[in-house]
Every structure is written in structure tokens, then in C-alpha cells.
Coordinates of all heavy atoms in Angstrom, one line a residue:
Q988 N 171.0 -27.8 42.5 CA 170.7 -28.9 41.6 C 171.1 -30.2 42.2 O 170.5 -31.2 41.9 CB 171.4 -28.7 40.2 CG 170.7 -27.5 39.5 CD 171.4 -27.3 38.1 OE1 172.5 -27.8 37.9 NE2 170.7 -26.6 37.2
V989 N 172.2 -30.3 42.9 CA 172.6 -31.5 43.5 C 171.6 -32.1 44.5 O 171.3 -33.3 44.5 CB 174.0 -31.3 44.2 CG1 174.4 -32.6 44.9 CG2 175.0 -30.9 43.2
A990 N 171.0 -31.2 45.4 CA 170.1 -31.7 46.3 C 168.8 -32.2 45.7 O 168.3 -33.3 46.1 CB 169.7 -30.5 47.3
F991 N 168.4 -31.6 44.6 CA 167.2 -32.1 43.9 C 167.5 -33.5 43.3 O 166.7 -34.4 43.3 CB 166.8 -31.2 42.8 CG 165.9 -30.1 43.2 CD1 166.4 -28.9 43.6 CD2 164.5 -30.3 43.3 CE1 165.5 -27.9 44.0 CE2 163.6 -29.3 43.7 CZ 164.2 -28.1 44.1
K992 N 168.7 -33.7 42.7 CA 169.1 -35.0 42.2 C 169.2 -36.0 43.3 O 168.8 -37.2 43.1 CB 170.4 -34.8 41.4 CG 170.9 -36.0 40.7 CD 170.0 -36.4 39.6 CE 170.5 -37.5 38.8 NZ 169.6 -38.0 37.8
M993 N 169.8 -35.6 44.4 CA 170.0 -36.6 45.5 C 168.7 -37.0 46.1 O 168.5 -38.2 46.4 CB 170.9 -35.9 46.5 CG 171.3 -36.9 47.6 SD 172.5 -36.2 48.9 CE 173.0 -34.7 48.3
Y994 N 167.8 -36.1 46.4 CA 166.6 -36.4 47.2 C 165.4 -36.7 46.3 O 164.5 -37.5 46.7 CB 166.2 -35.2 48.1 CG 167.2 -35.1 49.2 CD1 168.0 -33.9 49.2 CD2 167.4 -36.0 50.2 CE1 169.0 -33.8 50.2 CE2 168.4 -35.8 51.2 CZ 169.1 -34.7 51.2 OH 170.1 -34.6 52.2
L995 N 165.2 -36.2 45.1 CA 164.1 -36.4 44.3 C 164.4 -37.1 43.0 O 163.5 -37.5 42.3 CB 163.4 -35.1 44.0 CG 162.8 -34.3 45.2 CD1 162.2 -33.0 44.7 CD2 161.7 -35.1 45.8
G996 N 165.7 -37.2 42.6 CA 166.0 -37.9 41.4 C 165.8 -37.1 40.2 O 165.7 -37.7 39.1
I997 N 165.7 -35.8 40.3 CA 165.5 -34.9 39.1 C 166.5 -33.8 39.2 O 167.1 -33.5 40.2 CB 164.1 -34.3 39.1 CG1 163.8 -33.5 40.4 CG2 163.0 -35.4 38.9 CD1 162.5 -32.7 40.4
T998 N 166.7 -33.2 38.0 CA 167.6 -32.0 38.0 C 166.8 -30.8 37.4 O 166.4 -30.9 36.2 CB 168.8 -32.3 37.1 OG1 169.5 -33.4 37.6 CG2 169.8 -31.1 37.1
P999 N 166.5 -29.8 38.1 CA 165.8 -28.6 37.6 C 166.6 -27.7 36.7 O 167.8 -27.7 36.8 CB 165.4 -27.9 38.9 CG 166.4 -28.2 39.9 CD 166.9 -29.6 39.6
S1000 N 165.9 -27.0 35.8 CA 166.6 -26.0 35.0 C 166.5 -24.7 35.8 O 165.5 -24.4 36.5 CB 165.9 -25.8 33.7 OG 165.8 -27.0 33.0
V1001 N 167.5 -23.9 35.7 CA 167.5 -22.6 36.4 C 167.5 -21.5 35.4 O 168.2 -21.4 34.4 CB 168.8 -22.5 37.3 CG1 168.8 -21.1 38.0 CG2 169.0 -23.6 38.2
T1002 N 166.5 -20.6 35.6 CA 166.4 -19.4 34.7 C 166.4 -18.1 35.6 O 165.7 -18.1 36.6 CB 165.1 -19.4 33.9 OG1 164.0 -19.5 34.8 CG2 165.1 -20.6 33.0
C1003 N 167.2 -17.2 35.1 CA 167.2 -15.9 35.9 C 166.1 -15.0 35.3 O 166.0 -14.8 34.1 CB 168.6 -15.2 35.7 SG 168.8 -13.7 36.7
S1004 N 165.4 -14.4 36.1 CA 164.2 -13.6 35.7 C 164.3 -12.1 36.0 O 163.4 -11.3 35.8 CB 162.9 -14.1 36.2 OG 162.9 -14.2 37.6
S1005 N 165.5 -11.6 36.5 CA 165.6 -10.2 36.8 C 167.0 -9.7 36.5 O 168.0 -10.5 36.7 CB 165.2 -9.9 38.3 OG 166.3 -10.3 39.1
A1006 N 167.1 -8.5 36.1 CA 168.4 -7.9 35.7 C 169.2 -7.7 37.0 O 170.5 -7.7 37.0 CB 168.3 -6.6 35.0
A1007 N 168.5 -7.5 38.1 CA 169.2 -7.2 39.4 C 169.9 -8.4 40.0 O 170.8 -8.4 40.8 CB 168.2 -6.6 40.4
G1008 N 169.4 -9.6 39.5 CA 170.0 -10.9 40.0 C 169.5 -11.4 41.3 O 170.1 -12.3 41.9
N1009 N 168.4 -10.8 41.7 CA 167.8 -11.3 43.0 C 166.7 -12.2 42.8 O 166.1 -12.7 43.8 CB 167.5 -10.1 43.9 CG 166.3 -9.3 43.3 OD1 166.1 -9.3 42.1 ND2 165.6 -8.6 44.2
E1010 N 166.3 -12.6 41.6 CA 165.2 -13.5 41.3 C 165.6 -14.5 40.3 O 166.4 -14.2 39.4 CB 164.0 -12.7 40.7 CG 163.3 -11.8 41.6 CD 162.1 -11.2 40.9 OE1 161.5 -11.8 40.0 OE2 161.7 -10.1 41.3
F1011 N 165.2 -15.8 40.6 CA 165.4 -16.8 39.6 C 164.3 -17.8 39.8 O 163.6 -17.8 40.7 CB 166.8 -17.4 39.6 CG 167.1 -18.2 40.9 CD1 166.9 -19.5 41.0 CD2 167.5 -17.5 42.1 CE1 167.2 -20.2 42.1 CE2 167.8 -18.2 43.2 CZ 167.6 -19.6 43.3
S1012 N 164.2 -18.7 38.8 CA 163.1 -19.8 38.8 C 163.8 -21.1 38.6 O 164.8 -21.3 37.9 CB 162.2 -19.6 37.7 OG 161.4 -18.4 37.9
L1013 N 163.3 -22.1 39.3 CA 163.6 -23.5 39.1 C 162.5 -24.1 38.3 O 161.3 -24.1 38.8 CB 163.8 -24.2 40.5 CG 164.9 -23.7 41.4 CD1 164.9 -24.4 42.7 CD2 166.3 -23.8 40.7
I1014 N 162.8 -24.7 37.2 CA 161.8 -25.4 36.4 C 162.0 -26.9 36.4 O 163.0 -27.4 36.1 CB 161.9 -24.9 34.9 CG1 161.6 -23.3 34.9 CG2 160.9 -25.6 34.0 CD1 161.8 -22.7 33.6
L1015 N 161.0 -27.6 36.9 CA 161.0 -29.0 37.0 C 160.1 -29.6 35.9 O 158.9 -29.4 35.9 CB 160.4 -29.5 38.4 CG 161.0 -28.8 39.6 CD1 160.2 -29.2 40.8 CD2 162.4 -29.1 39.8
D1016 N 160.8 -30.3 35.0 CA 160.0 -30.9 33.9 C 159.2 -32.1 34.4 O 158.1 -32.4 34.0 CB 161.0 -31.4 32.8 CG 161.7 -30.3 32.1 OD1 161.0 -29.2 31.9 OD2 162.8 -30.4 31.7
K1017 N 159.8 -32.8 35.4 CA 159.1 -33.9 36.1 C 159.1 -33.6 37.6 O 160.1 -33.3 38.1 CB 159.8 -35.2 35.7 CG 159.1 -36.4 36.3 CD 159.8 -37.6 35.9 CE 159.1 -38.8 36.5 NZ 159.9 -39.7 37.3
N1018 N 158.0 -33.8 38.2 CA 157.9 -33.7 39.7 C 157.4 -35.0 40.3 O 156.3 -35.3 40.1 CB 156.9 -32.5 40.0 CG 156.9 -32.2 41.5 OD1 157.5 -32.9 42.3 ND2 156.1 -31.2 41.8
P1019 N 158.3 -35.7 40.9 CA 157.9 -37.0 41.5 C 156.9 -36.9 42.6 O 156.2 -37.9 42.9 CB 159.2 -37.6 42.0 CG 160.2 -36.4 42.1 CD 159.7 -35.4 41.2
L1020 N 156.7 -35.8 43.2 CA 155.7 -35.6 44.2 C 154.3 -35.7 43.7 O 153.3 -36.0 44.4 CB 155.9 -34.3 45.0 CG 157.2 -34.3 45.8 CD1 157.2 -32.9 46.5 CD2 157.3 -35.4 46.8
V1021 N 154.1 -35.4 42.4 CA 152.7 -35.5 41.8 C 152.4 -36.8 41.2 O 151.3 -37.0 40.8 CB 152.5 -34.4 40.8 CG1 152.7 -33.0 41.4 CG2 153.4 -34.6 39.6
D1022 N 153.3 -37.8 41.3 CA 153.0 -39.1 40.7 C 151.9 -39.8 41.5 O 151.3 -40.7 40.9 CB 154.3 -39.9 40.7 CG 155.3 -39.5 39.7 OD1 154.9 -38.7 38.8 OD2 156.5 -39.9 39.8
F1023 N 151.7 -39.5 42.7 CA 150.7 -40.2 43.6 C 149.4 -39.4 43.7 O 148.6 -39.8 44.4 CB 151.3 -40.4 44.9 CG 152.6 -41.2 44.9 CD1 153.8 -40.5 45.1 CD2 152.6 -42.5 44.6 CE1 155.0 -41.2 45.0 CE2 153.8 -43.3 44.5 CZ 155.0 -42.6 44.7
V1024 N 149.3 -38.3 42.9 CA 148.0 -37.5 43.0 C 147.4 -37.6 41.6 O 148.0 -37.2 40.6 CB 148.3 -36.1 43.3 CG1 147.1 -35.2 43.4 CG2 149.0 -36.0 44.7
E1025 N 146.2 -38.1 41.5 CA 145.5 -38.2 40.2 C 144.9 -36.9 39.8 O 145.2 -36.3 38.7 CB 144.5 -39.3 40.3 CG 145.1 -40.6 40.4 CD 144.0 -41.7 40.4 OE1 142.8 -41.4 40.1 OE2 144.3 -42.8 40.8
E1026 N 144.1 -36.3 40.6 CA 143.4 -35.0 40.3 C 143.0 -34.4 41.6 O 142.5 -35.1 42.5 CB 142.2 -35.3 39.4 CG 141.6 -34.0 38.9 CD 140.4 -34.3 38.0 OE1 140.5 -35.2 37.2 OE2 139.4 -33.6 38.0
L1027 N 143.1 -33.1 41.7 CA 142.7 -32.4 42.9 C 141.2 -32.3 42.9 O 140.6 -32.0 41.9 CB 143.3 -31.0 43.0 CG 144.8 -31.0 43.3 CD1 145.3 -29.5 43.2 CD2 145.2 -31.6 44.6
P1028 N 140.5 -32.5 44.1 CA 139.1 -32.3 44.1 C 138.7 -30.8 43.8 O 139.4 -29.9 44.1 CB 138.7 -32.6 45.6 CG 139.9 -33.3 46.1 CD 141.1 -32.9 45.3
A1029 N 137.5 -30.6 43.2 CA 137.1 -29.3 42.8 C 137.0 -28.3 44.0 O 137.4 -27.2 43.9 CB 135.7 -29.4 42.1
E1030 N 136.6 -28.8 45.2 CA 136.5 -27.9 46.4 C 137.9 -27.6 46.9 O 138.0 -26.7 47.8 CB 135.6 -28.5 47.4 CG 136.1 -29.8 48.0 CD 135.6 -31.1 47.2 OE1 134.9 -30.9 46.2 OE2 136.0 -32.2 47.7
R1031 N 138.9 -28.3 46.5 CA 140.3 -28.0 47.0 C 141.2 -27.5 45.8 O 142.4 -27.8 45.8 CB 140.9 -29.3 47.6 CG 140.1 -29.9 48.7 CD 140.4 -29.1 49.9 NE 139.7 -29.8 51.0 CZ 139.1 -29.2 52.0 NH1 139.0 -27.9 52.0 NH2 138.5 -29.9 53.0
A1032 N 140.6 -26.8 44.9 CA 141.4 -26.4 43.7 C 142.5 -25.4 44.0 O 143.5 -25.4 43.3 CB 140.4 -25.7 42.7
S1033 N 142.4 -24.7 45.1 CA 143.4 -23.8 45.5 C 144.6 -24.4 46.3 O 145.6 -23.8 46.6 CB 142.8 -22.6 46.3 OG 142.3 -23.1 47.6
L1034 N 144.5 -25.7 46.6 CA 145.5 -26.4 47.4 C 146.7 -26.5 46.5 O 146.7 -26.9 45.4 CB 145.0 -27.8 47.8 CG 145.9 -28.7 48.5 CD1 146.2 -28.2 49.9 CD2 145.4 -30.1 48.6
C1035 N 147.9 -26.2 47.1 CA 149.2 -26.4 46.4 C 149.8 -27.6 47.1 O 150.5 -27.5 48.1 CB 150.0 -25.1 46.6 SG 151.4 -25.1 45.6
Y1036 N 149.6 -28.7 46.5 CA 150.0 -30.0 47.0 C 151.5 -30.1 47.2 O 152.0 -30.6 48.2 CB 149.6 -31.1 46.1 CG 149.9 -32.5 46.6 CD1 149.2 -33.1 47.6 CD2 151.0 -33.2 46.0 CE1 149.5 -34.3 48.0 CE2 151.3 -34.5 46.4 CZ 150.6 -35.0 47.4 OH 150.9 -36.3 47.9
C1037 N 152.3 -29.5 46.4 CA 153.8 -29.6 46.4 C 154.4 -28.4 47.1 O 155.6 -28.2 47.0 CB 154.4 -29.8 45.0 SG 153.8 -31.3 44.3
N1038 N 153.7 -27.7 47.9 CA 154.2 -26.5 48.6 C 155.3 -26.8 49.6 O 156.0 -26.0 50.0 CB 153.1 -25.7 49.2 CG 153.4 -24.2 49.3 OD1 154.2 -23.7 48.6 ND2 152.7 -23.6 50.3
I1039 N 155.4 -28.1 49.9 CA 156.5 -28.5 50.8 C 157.9 -28.2 50.2 O 158.8 -27.9 50.9 CB 156.4 -30.0 51.2 CG1 157.3 -30.3 52.3 CG2 156.6 -30.9 50.0 CD1 157.0 -31.6 53.0
L1040 N 157.9 -28.2 48.9 CA 159.2 -27.9 48.2 C 159.6 -26.5 48.5 O 160.8 -26.2 48.7 CB 159.1 -28.2 46.7 CG 159.0 -29.6 46.3 CD1 158.8 -29.7 44.7 CD2 160.2 -30.4 46.7
C1041 N 158.7 -25.6 48.5 CA 158.9 -24.2 48.8 C 159.5 -24.0 50.2 O 160.4 -23.3 50.4 CB 157.7 -23.3 48.5 SG 157.2 -23.2 46.8
G1042 N 158.8 -24.7 51.1 CA 159.3 -24.7 52.5 C 160.7 -25.2 52.7 O 161.5 -24.6 53.5
V1043 N 161.0 -26.3 52.0 CA 162.3 -26.9 52.1 C 163.4 -25.9 51.6 O 164.4 -25.8 52.2 CB 162.3 -28.3 51.4 CG1 163.7 -28.8 51.3 CG2 161.5 -29.3 52.2
I1044 N 163.1 -25.3 50.4 CA 164.1 -24.4 49.8 C 164.3 -23.2 50.7 O 165.4 -22.8 51.0 CB 163.6 -24.0 48.4 CG1 163.7 -25.2 47.5 CG2 164.5 -22.9 47.9 CD1 163.0 -25.0 46.1
R1045 N 163.2 -22.6 51.2 CA 163.2 -21.4 52.1 C 164.0 -21.8 53.3 O 164.8 -21.0 53.8 CB 161.8 -20.9 52.4 CG 161.9 -19.7 53.2 CD 160.5 -19.1 53.4 NE 160.6 -18.0 54.4 CZ 159.7 -17.7 55.3 NH1 158.6 -18.5 55.3 NH2 159.8 -16.7 56.1
G1046 N 163.7 -22.9 53.9 CA 164.4 -23.3 55.2 C 165.9 -23.5 54.9 O 166.7 -23.1 55.8
A1047 N 166.2 -24.1 53.8 CA 167.7 -24.3 53.5 C 168.4 -23.0 53.3 O 169.5 -22.8 53.8 CB 167.8 -25.2 52.3
L1048 N 167.7 -22.0 52.7 CA 168.3 -20.7 52.5 C 168.5 -20.0 53.8 O 169.4 -19.3 54.0 CB 167.5 -19.9 51.5 CG 167.6 -20.4 50.0 CD1 166.6 -19.7 49.2 CD2 169.0 -20.2 49.5
E1049 N 167.5 -20.1 54.7 CA 167.6 -19.5 56.0 C 168.7 -20.1 56.8 O 169.3 -19.4 57.6 CB 166.2 -19.6 56.7 CG 165.2 -18.7 56.2 CD 163.9 -18.8 57.0 OE1 163.7 -19.7 57.9 OE2 162.9 -18.1 56.6
M1050 N 169.0 -21.3 56.6 CA 170.1 -22.0 57.4 C 171.5 -21.4 57.0 O 172.4 -21.4 57.8 CB 170.1 -23.5 57.1 CG 169.0 -24.2 57.7 SD 168.8 -24.1 59.4 CE 170.2 -25.0 60.0
V1051 N 171.6 -20.8 55.8 CA 172.8 -20.1 55.4 C 172.6 -18.6 55.4 O 173.3 -17.9 54.8 CB 173.3 -20.6 54.0 CG1 173.8 -22.1 54.1 CG2 172.3 -20.4 52.9
H1052 N 171.6 -18.2 56.2 CA 171.3 -16.7 56.5 C 171.0 -15.9 55.2 O 171.4 -14.8 55.0 CB 172.5 -16.1 57.2 CG 172.9 -16.7 58.5 ND1 172.1 -16.7 59.6 CD2 173.9 -17.6 58.8 CE1 172.6 -17.4 60.5 NE2 173.7 -18.0 60.1
L1053 N 170.2 -16.5 54.3 CA 169.7 -15.8 53.1 C 168.1 -15.8 53.2 O 167.5 -16.8 53.2 CB 170.1 -16.6 51.9 CG 171.6 -16.6 51.5 CD1 171.8 -17.5 50.3 CD2 172.0 -15.2 51.2
A1054 N 167.6 -14.6 53.4 CA 166.1 -14.5 53.5 C 165.6 -14.5 52.0 O 166.1 -13.7 51.2 CB 165.8 -13.2 54.2
A1055 N 164.6 -15.3 51.8 CA 164.0 -15.4 50.4 C 162.6 -15.7 50.5 O 162.0 -16.2 51.5 CB 164.7 -16.5 49.7
E1056 N 161.9 -15.3 49.4 CA 160.5 -15.6 49.2 C 160.4 -16.7 48.2 O 161.0 -16.5 47.1 CB 159.7 -14.3 48.8 CG 158.2 -14.6 48.6 CD 157.5 -13.3 48.1 OE1 157.9 -12.2 48.6 OE2 156.7 -13.4 47.2
V1057 N 159.8 -17.8 48.5 CA 159.8 -18.9 47.5 C 158.3 -19.3 47.3 O 157.5 -19.5 48.2 CB 160.5 -20.1 48.1 CG1 160.5 -21.3 47.1 CG2 161.9 -19.8 48.6
T1058 N 157.9 -19.2 46.0 CA 156.5 -19.4 45.6 C 156.4 -20.3 44.4 O 157.3 -20.3 43.6 CB 155.7 -18.1 45.4 OG1 156.4 -17.4 44.3 CG2 155.7 -17.2 46.6
F1059 N 155.3 -20.9 44.2 CA 155.0 -21.7 43.0 C 154.4 -20.7 42.0 O 153.5 -19.9 42.2 CB 153.9 -22.8 43.2 CG 154.5 -24.1 43.5 CD1 154.7 -24.5 44.8 CD2 154.9 -24.9 42.5 CE1 155.3 -25.7 45.1 CE2 155.4 -26.2 42.8 CZ 155.6 -26.5 44.1
L1060 N 155.0 -20.7 40.8 CA 154.6 -19.9 39.7 C 153.7 -20.8 38.7 O 152.7 -20.2 38.1 CB 155.8 -19.3 38.9 CG 156.7 -18.4 39.8 CD1 157.9 -18.0 39.0 CD2 155.9 -17.3 40.4
Q1061 N 154.1 -22.0 38.5 CA 153.3 -22.9 37.7 C 153.3 -24.3 38.4 O 154.3 -24.6 39.1 CB 154.0 -23.1 36.3 CG 154.0 -21.9 35.5 CD 154.6 -22.2 34.1 OE1 154.2 -23.2 33.4 NE2 155.5 -21.3 33.7
D1062 N 152.3 -25.0 38.2 CA 152.1 -26.3 38.9 C 151.5 -27.3 37.9 O 150.4 -27.0 37.3 CB 151.3 -26.2 40.1 CG 151.4 -27.4 41.0 OD1 152.0 -28.4 40.6 OD2 150.8 -27.3 42.1
R1063 N 152.1 -28.5 37.7 CA 151.5 -29.5 36.8 C 150.2 -30.0 37.3 O 149.4 -30.3 36.4 CB 152.5 -30.7 36.7 CG 153.8 -30.3 36.0 CD 154.6 -31.5 35.8 NE 153.9 -32.4 34.8 CZ 154.5 -33.1 33.9 NH1 155.8 -33.0 33.8 NH2 153.9 -33.8 33.0
L1064 N 149.9 -30.0 38.6 CA 148.6 -30.4 39.0 C 147.5 -29.4 38.7 O 146.3 -29.7 38.7 CB 148.6 -30.6 40.6 CG 149.4 -31.8 41.1 CD1 149.4 -31.8 42.6 CD2 148.7 -33.0 40.6
K1065 N 147.9 -28.2 38.3 CA 146.9 -27.1 38.0 C 146.7 -27.1 36.5 O 146.1 -26.2 35.9 CB 147.3 -25.8 38.5 CG 147.7 -25.7 39.9 CD 146.5 -25.5 40.8 CE 147.0 -25.3 42.2 NZ 146.1 -25.4 43.2
G1066 N 147.4 -28.0 35.7 CA 147.3 -28.1 34.3 C 148.4 -27.4 33.5 O 148.4 -27.3 32.3
D1067 N 149.4 -26.9 34.2 CA 150.6 -26.3 33.5 C 151.5 -27.3 32.9 O 151.5 -28.5 33.4 CB 151.4 -25.4 34.5 CG 150.5 -24.2 35.0 OD1 149.8 -23.6 34.2 OD2 150.6 -23.9 36.2
A1068 N 152.3 -27.0 32.0 CA 153.2 -27.9 31.3 C 154.3 -28.4 32.2 O 154.8 -29.5 32.1 CB 153.7 -27.3 30.0
V1069 N 154.8 -27.5 33.1 CA 155.9 -27.8 34.0 C 155.6 -27.2 35.3 O 154.6 -26.5 35.6 CB 157.3 -27.1 33.4 CG1 157.7 -27.7 32.1 CG2 157.1 -25.6 33.4
T1070 N 156.5 -27.6 36.3 CA 156.4 -27.1 37.6 C 157.5 -26.0 37.7 O 158.6 -26.3 37.5 CB 156.6 -28.1 38.7 OG1 155.6 -29.1 38.6 CG2 156.5 -27.6 40.1
E1071 N 157.1 -24.8 38.1 CA 158.1 -23.7 38.2 C 158.0 -23.1 39.6 O 156.9 -22.7 40.1 CB 157.8 -22.6 37.2 CG 158.8 -21.5 37.2 CD 158.6 -20.4 36.1 OE1 157.6 -20.6 35.3 OE2 159.3 -19.5 36.0
I1072 N 159.1 -23.0 40.2 CA 159.3 -22.4 41.6 C 160.1 -21.1 41.5 O 161.2 -21.1 41.0 CB 160.0 -23.4 42.6 CG1 159.2 -24.7 42.6 CG2 160.1 -22.8 43.9 CD1 159.9 -25.8 43.4
G1073 N 159.5 -20.0 41.9 CA 160.1 -18.7 41.9 C 160.8 -18.4 43.2 O 160.2 -18.6 44.2
I1074 N 162.0 -17.9 43.1 CA 162.8 -17.6 44.3 C 163.3 -16.2 44.2 O 163.9 -15.8 43.2 CB 164.0 -18.5 44.5 CG1 163.5 -20.0 44.6 CG2 164.8 -18.1 45.8 CD1 164.6 -21.0 44.6
T1075 N 162.9 -15.3 45.2 CA 163.3 -14.0 45.2 C 164.1 -13.7 46.5 O 163.5 -14.0 47.6 CB 162.1 -13.0 45.2 OG1 161.3 -13.3 44.0 CG2 162.5 -11.6 45.2
F1076 N 165.3 -13.2 46.4 CA 166.1 -12.9 47.6 C 165.6 -11.6 48.2 O 165.5 -10.6 47.4 CB 167.6 -12.9 47.3 CG 168.1 -14.2 47.0 CD1 168.5 -14.6 45.7 CD2 168.2 -15.2 48.0 CE1 169.0 -15.8 45.5 CE2 168.7 -16.4 47.7 CZ 169.1 -16.7 46.5
L1077 N 165.3 -11.5 49.4 CA 164.8 -10.3 50.0 C 165.8 -9.3 50.4 O 165.5 -8.1 50.4 CB 163.9 -10.6 51.3 CG 162.8 -11.6 51.0 CD1 162.1 -12.0 52.3 CD2 161.8 -11.0 50.0
R1078 N 167.0 -9.7 50.7 CA 168.1 -8.8 51.0 C 169.4 -9.5 50.6 O 169.5 -10.7 50.5 CB 168.1 -8.3 52.4 CG 168.3 -9.5 53.4 CD 168.4 -8.9 54.8 NE 168.7 -10.0 55.7 CZ 167.7 -10.7 56.4 NH1 166.5 -10.4 56.2 NH2 168.0 -11.7 57.2
K1079 N 170.4 -8.6 50.3 CA 171.7 -9.2 49.9 C 172.4 -9.8 51.1 O 172.2 -9.4 52.2 CB 172.6 -8.1 49.3 CG 172.1 -7.6 47.9 CD 173.0 -6.7 47.3 CE 172.5 -6.2 46.0 NZ 173.5 -5.3 45.3
A1080 N 173.2 -10.8 50.8 CA 173.9 -11.5 51.9 C 175.0 -10.5 52.3 O 175.7 -9.8 51.5 CB 174.6 -12.8 51.3
E1081 N 175.1 -10.3 53.6 CA 176.1 -9.4 54.2 C 177.4 -10.2 54.5 O 177.4 -11.3 55.0 CB 175.6 -8.8 55.4 CG 174.3 -8.0 55.2 CD 173.7 -7.5 56.5 OE1 174.3 -7.6 57.5 OE2 172.6 -7.0 56.4
D1082 N 178.5 -9.6 54.2 CA 179.8 -10.2 54.5 C 180.1 -9.7 56.0 O 180.4 -8.6 56.2 CB 180.9 -9.7 53.6 CG 180.7 -10.2 52.2 OD1 180.2 -11.3 52.1 OD2 181.1 -9.5 51.3
R1083 N 179.9 -10.7 56.9 CA 180.1 -10.4 58.3 C 181.4 -11.0 58.7 O 181.7 -12.1 58.5 CB 179.0 -10.9 59.1 CG 177.7 -10.3 58.9 CD 176.7 -10.8 59.8 NE 175.4 -10.3 59.4 CZ 174.2 -10.7 60.0 NH1 174.2 -11.6 61.0 NH2 173.1 -10.1 59.6
K1084 N 182.2 -10.2 59.4 CA 183.5 -10.7 60.0 C 183.2 -10.8 61.5 O 183.0 -9.9 62.1 CB 184.6 -9.8 59.6 CG 184.9 -9.7 58.2 CD 186.1 -8.9 57.9 CE 186.3 -8.8 56.4 NZ 187.5 -8.0 56.1
H1085 N 183.4 -12.0 61.9 CA 183.2 -12.3 63.3 C 184.5 -12.2 64.1 O 185.5 -12.8 63.6 CB 182.5 -13.7 63.6 CG 181.1 -13.7 62.9 ND1 180.1 -13.1 63.5 CD2 180.7 -14.4 61.8 CE1 179.0 -13.4 62.7 NE2 179.4 -14.1 61.7
K1086 N 184.5 -11.5 65.1 CA 185.7 -11.4 65.9 C 185.7 -12.4 67.0 O 184.7 -12.7 67.6 CB 185.9 -10.0 66.6 CG 186.0 -8.9 65.6 CD 186.2 -7.6 66.3 CE 186.3 -6.5 65.3 NZ 186.4 -5.2 65.9
R1087 N 186.8 -13.1 67.2 CA 186.9 -14.0 68.3 C 187.2 -13.3 69.6 O 188.1 -12.4 69.6 CB 188.0 -15.1 68.0 CG 187.6 -16.0 66.9 CD 188.6 -17.1 66.8 NE 188.2 -18.0 65.7 CZ 188.7 -19.1 65.5 NH1 189.7 -19.6 66.3 NH2 188.3 -19.9 64.5
N1088 N 186.6 -13.7 70.7 CA 186.9 -13.1 72.0 C 188.0 -13.8 72.7 O 188.2 -14.9 72.6 CB 185.6 -13.2 72.9 CG 184.5 -12.3 72.3 OD1 184.8 -11.4 71.6 ND2 183.3 -12.6 72.6

């Protein structure tokens, strides 16, 4: 939530969507990236304009050795009420103890 506030000026809501605890969603009531897009052209209806957010989140998780699948579940540009990003962890973080040589 801190990174979203720092870089985009918004704070997403976090909802857990699985009992196993490996899935959750970030819900953005306002997405500043869509402020500059009026309407997607009909021939580009499948374009996910804000997909860069998924890449940034996935890359940040990979930097701390967490493999995750990050996808858009809802998008305001597609007519949904909010922007929702789903995050699923692919494997549990392993506690590794590194030995010094």
C-alpha cells in the first residue's frame, strides 16, 4: 500500500480471496493511469492499457524471491466500477539459511 501511495497517489484496498492464503486482490477505486485515456478503440477492445501495473507488482515480488501470477480481474476502462488486480502466489516462500564460506 505504501508503494501505491508513493508512486501513484492512491491507496488500494486488499481483499483475501482464498482460504489457503495464497490469493488476494488489490482494489483500486481510482486509477490515475486511466485519466489520460478516453475510450479504447473497438478494434483494440482486448488491450489491457494498465497491464504495466501487473508487471511492476510481479517484478517487485520476484525481487524478493516470491513467484506470483498477477492479472487484471476488473478494469475501469472496460466498464467495471473499480480496477481489481488479482495476485496468486505460485509457491510458498522458503526459509533458506545461507552458510558463509
Side-chain angles (χ1 to χ4, degrees):
Q988 289 181 342
V989 173
F991 275 93
K992 183 68 172 172
M993 187 178 351
Y994 294 112
L995 296 175
I997 58 171
T998 303
S1000 304
V1001 180
T1002 59
C1003 186
S1004 56
S1005 76
N1009 66 337
E1010 291 183 27
F1011 65 96
S1012 293
L1013 298 174
I1014 298 174
L1015 309 172
D1016 293 327
K1017 182 180 180 228
N1018 185 354
L1020 295 179
V1021 301
D1022 290 344
F1023 303 104
V1024 179
E1025 292 180 13
E1026 187 176 322
L1027 291 175
E1030 63 272 1
R1031 303 283 186 218
S1033 64
L1034 177 69
C1035 190
Y1036 181 77
C1037 297
N1038 209 23
I1039 191 167
L1040 291 176
C1041 293
V1043 169
I1044 293 169
R1045 182 176 174 215
L1048 290 171
E1049 285 180 358
M1050 292 299 292
V1051 293
H1052 304 288
L1053 294 172
E1056 180 180 321
V1057 184
T1058 57
F1059 265 94
L1060 302 176
Q1061 295 183 46
D1062 192 355
R1063 290 184 72 141
L1064 286 176
K1065 310 275 187 195
D1067 296 320
V1069 295
T1070 299
E1071 182 177 1
I1072 301 171
I1074 301 172
T1075 304
F1076 291 109
L1077 301 177
R1078 61 177 181 267
K1079 291 186 178 183
E1081 300 173 8
D1082 294 327
R1083 295 182 184 176
K1084 296 183 180 179
H1085 298 286
K1086 295 181 182 179
R1087 291 187 177 192
N1088 294 335

